[in-house]
Amino acid sequence: MSPTVGRQPSHILERVPRVVNPFGLRPFAPGMCGHAGMALTAVSLFPIRLIVLIVAVLIAGALAVLATIGADGSKPLNAARRLLLHPIQWLARVALWCLGYWRIPVTRPDAVQGVKTPRVLVSAPHYSLIDVFFWTYYEMPMTLSHHGVASIPIVGRIARAMETIFVDRRTAEARAEAANTIKRRCLEPGWPRLLVFPEGTVTNGSALIQFRPGAFAVGEAVQPVILRYGTRPLDVSGAVRGYEVFLYAMLQPANSLSVEFLSPAVPSQAELSDPRLFAGNVRAAMAAALGVPCTNHSYEDAWLAAVAHEGGREVAQTFEVKSLAPLLQLDADGLVELLRRFHRLDSNGSGRLEYEEFVDALDLAGAAPGYARRLFRLFDTDESGSLSFAELTQGLAPLDRLKLAFITCDLDAEGGVTLSSLRRVVAYAAERQRASTGRAPIDAERLEAAFAASDRDGDRALDFNEFCSLVEANAELLGIASEMARGRLEGSALSRFVEEAREMKEVRRSRSKQQMRSDKGGNGKAAAGGYMRLEGEEDGG
């Protein structure tokens, strides 16, 4: 017999591999100057830097307001308005000085004959808002940005003055609209060059996540640019999150950033017809230049990673949303809500579910202790004694039916399925089916013969492999066991939520389509110019 079913290969884990986490935080290391250097900077340079930075941002905001008064967002700004915005470039350089970036070396390749200057700048990795300060100073391009940026005071006004294309990356309709705007602006004269952070979110730079294909669908060459921040004295790629990075940067005497322009990427015929292929090839070239791997993480993974750290928790994300979501038949919204419920079930805040928390989560308090313990071991695929979020959600997926059926049929929790247990399972199904069919699903003689044929070692109990042989030859037994398992789990808090989330997925999709139609009908100029904001969606950076 095989008493440890949890050690059997997990079909779900094979389909959801453990991967590098590009969203994890790295410990803050103040570098060679140490905390003493930070303290000295705090009483000398920091006050001056803070005042100058605030003044620079306020002046830039005022210029942005003046330059956009009465402007038509569907058309490029005229020469007079651009002249009014020109000082913002130098104000951005002043801001970089305030953040400790005294010198920023930029290397560029020799011009390639026959290749005109690309209209699209592809910058990666995207570490923080400091990236935007550099690009504002160096190029003053129009950008593609999350729709929530438009609502940030001053920053949102400056972004509009720079003719930013705003998009909600979590809805397919908004992404398609943004892709159309990108293509139109890149082909029409008068617009500035387009800067794109193709990852769509900030990462820690340990890998390049999936590039979104919108900027690669223009049908022209793109200019890849890689950013390298020094890890001493400040590592902006993961030491801090959000606006805190500005505080830490200003508390350092000096920080380092270097920028490298790679050779323009000219699409082949195959890449012209497949923007995703083009994006993938450019990503591979940039990852090779950076010396980091590529990963299939996406913007949705970044969103889930941010929720994983809510409340100071550390919930490891060792999977990719695009791999896990189909298993549960959920979308990113559903997984986020499931993660928040996981937070609530994790009463001790460890980031994992202990056995007692698992029993509460699946409402198994009244079940036989042997059954609850073996079901826990089915979920606990790494045999750590506690469940990660990935293990719990993978266990809820309707794919590993054989394991769940084996646990269900092992009514005595002895590590094997006996003939007596099988008879009780069949009797359970018979009671349910006789009302509709008038007969039992499998007769006693056939069940006994099938059991004897599968019990190869003659110990009168089927281990997992023997059980698989049994249900392979008698498919109705798998259906019976699966139905019985569903009956035991359907009433649990998490399994109820999974079903609710699947229904809400279609409701959200319908509402999103209605909102897009409303935006197009009621705000034509904004939609045409790329400024979109979907009501009811959560703002974020």
Side-chain angles (χ1 to χ4, degrees):
M1 289 187 294
S2 175
T4 54
V5 178
R7 293 177 186 170
Q8 298 292 336
S10 170
H11 304 301
I12 296 175
L13 282 177
E14 290 172 2
R15 300 177 68 164
V16 186
R18 298 187 181 277
V19 291
V20 64
N21 181 7
F23 311 112
L25 292 176
R26 297 174 183 166
F28 172 62
M32 296 180 63
C33 67
H35 292 92
M38 291 177 62
L40 181 62
T41 304
V43 298
S44 57
L45 286 175
F46 177 74
I48 300 172
R49 286 174 168 178
L50 182 61
I51 293 172
V52 173
L53 179 62
I54 292 174
V55 171
V57 171
L58 291 175
I59 293 174
L63 291 173
V65 171
L66 293 174
T68 55
I69 292 177
D72 184 350
S74 64
K75 297 178 181 179
L77 295 178
N78 58 36
R81 293 180 186 273
R82 291 194 190 284
L83 184 62
L84 193 58
L85 289 174
H86 184 69
I88 291 180
Q89 283 189 260
W90 294 106
L91 290 170
R93 187 62 186 98
V94 170
L96 288 168
W97 281 327
C98 293
L99 296 172
Y101 295 94
W102 302 105
R103 178 176 175 272
I104 304 176
V106 178
T107 58
R108 306 180 68 101
D110 296 332
V112 179
Q113 189 173 5
V115 178
K116 63 181 181 180
T117 302
R119 294 278 299 144
V120 179
L121 296 159
V122 177
S123 179
H126 184 19
Y127 292 117
S128 68
L129 284 174
I130 295 176
D131 303 348
V132 180
F133 277 88
F134 166 77
W135 281 112
T136 302
Y137 148 67
Y138 193 80
E139 182 75 26
M140 196 70 176
M142 63 179 174
T143 61
L144 184 70
S145 180
H146 190 281
H147 72 104
V149 173
S151 62
I152 301 176
I154 302 178
V155 174
R157 176 63 71 173
I158 296 173
R160 292 183 215 178
M162 293 177 63
E163 300 167 284
T164 299
I165 301 171
F166 297 101
V167 60
D168 181 354
R169 303 182 186 95
R170 289 179 291 161
T171 63
E173 292 82 2
R175 293 197 299 268
E177 185 76 18
N180 292 332
T181 304
I182 289 171
K183 191 168 186 177
R184 178 177 61 82
R185 290 194 182 186
C186 288
L187 297 178
E188 286 182 2
W191 295 97
R193 287 215 284 179
L194 174 69
L195 168 67
V196 175
F197 297 106
E199 296 169 293
T201 185
V202 295
T203 70
N204 59 26
S206 61
L208 290 187
I209 68 173
Q210 286 183 341
F211 280 9
R212 295 195 173 276
F216 299 89
V218 177
E220 295 187 355
V222 301
Q223 175 64 70
V225 186
I226 57 179
L227 305 179
R228 292 188 178 92
Y229 286 88
T231 58
R232 294 291 187 272
L234 174 67
D235 180 5
V236 301
S237 65
V240 289
R241 285 192 182 277
Y243 299 114
E244 293 174 61
V245 69
F246 297 115
L247 174 62
Y248 282 101
M250 286 191 289
L251 287 174
Q252 304 299 326
N255 297 302
S256 63
L257 165 64
S258 63
V259 181
E260 180 183 357
F261 282 67
L262 304 182
S263 297
V266 181
S268 64
Q269 286 299 320
E271 291 169 333
L272 285 173
S273 59
D274 186 355
R276 292 187 182 277
L277 174 64
F278 188 21
N281 290 339
V282 172
R283 180 175 69 138
M286 296 178 74
L290 285 162
V292 300
C294 293
T295 173
N296 287 328
H297 282 98
S298 63
Y299 173 77
E300 288 75 17
D301 290 294
W303 181 30
L304 197 66
V307 175
H309 288 83
E310 284 181 351
R313 297 175 185 265
E314 291 291 336
V315 178
Q317 184 181 343
T318 55
F319 57 85
E320 295 156 0
V321 167
K322 77 167 193 173
S323 298
L324 184 59
L327 302 185
L328 290 168
Q329 301 171 26
L330 296 176
D331 55 7
D333 296 271
L335 283 176
V336 165
E337 286 304 316
L338 186 60
L339 178 56
R340 286 181 172 142
R341 293 202 179 194
F342 181 86
H343 283 328
R344 292 194 288 271
L345 294 167
D346 177 22
S347 57
N348 63 4
S350 66
R352 300 177 67 90
L353 290 190
E354 310 301 330
Y355 173 72
E356 294 75 14
E357 294 170 329
F358 169 81
V359 169
D360 292 339
L362 292 184
D363 297 339
L364 294 174
Y371 175 78
R373 177 62 68 177
R374 288 179 60 74
L375 188 61
F376 178 80
R377 293 171 73 179
L378 170 65
F379 281 73
D380 185 18
T381 54
D382 64 1
E383 300 182 357
S384 64
S386 60
L387 303 183
S388 67
F389 175 67
E391 287 176 320
L392 183 65
T393 50
Q394 288 160 10
L396 291 171
L399 291 180
D400 225 354
R401 299 176 66 199
L402 280 171
K403 277 192 178 181
L404 193 54
F406 180 78
I407 292 292
T408 301
C409 291
D410 183 16
L411 297 177
D412 300 321
E414 295 293 336
V417 176
T418 64
L419 180 59
S420 173
S421 295
L422 274 179
R423 284 171 176 162
R424 289 156 63 189
V425 171
V426 171
Y428 164 83
E431 290 298 321
R432 296 173 64 91
Q433 292 190 17
R434 281 198 180 103
S436 56
T437 65
R439 58 184 176 82
I442 182 172
D443 60 72
E445 292 183 4
R446 181 184 165 198
L447 178 64
E448 186 172 348
F451 182 90
S454 300
D455 184 18
R456 291 188 290 268
D457 57 9
D459 62 355
R460 298 184 181 181
L462 304 182
D463 64 18
F464 181 70
N465 292 327
E466 291 172 335
F467 179 77
C468 289
S469 299
L470 175 68
V471 297
E472 183 178 356
N474 303 272
E476 63 268 40
L477 286 177
L478 180 59
I480 292 170
S482 297
E483 182 180 356
M484 188 173 182
R486 283 196 301 271
R488 290 190 175 193
L489 295 179
E490 274 178 355
S492 69
L494 284 177
S495 59
R496 282 197 306 269
F497 167 72
V498 170
E499 294 303 320
E500 294 168 4
R502 288 172 187 160
E503 296 174 3
M504 286 303 298
K505 177 180 177 181
E506 295 303 319
V507 174
R508 285 192 296 268
R509 182 176 299 172
S510 175
R511 287 178 178 173
S512 176
K513 289 180 178 179
Q514 292 175 0
Q515 186 61 51
M516 284 296 296
R517 287 194 293 268
S518 174
D519 286 346
K520 289 179 180 178
N523 192 9
K525 286 186 178 181
Y531 173 51
M532 294 168 291
R533 179 159 183 189
L534 303 184
E535 295 297 328
E537 292 291 339
E538 180 180 341
D539 287 348

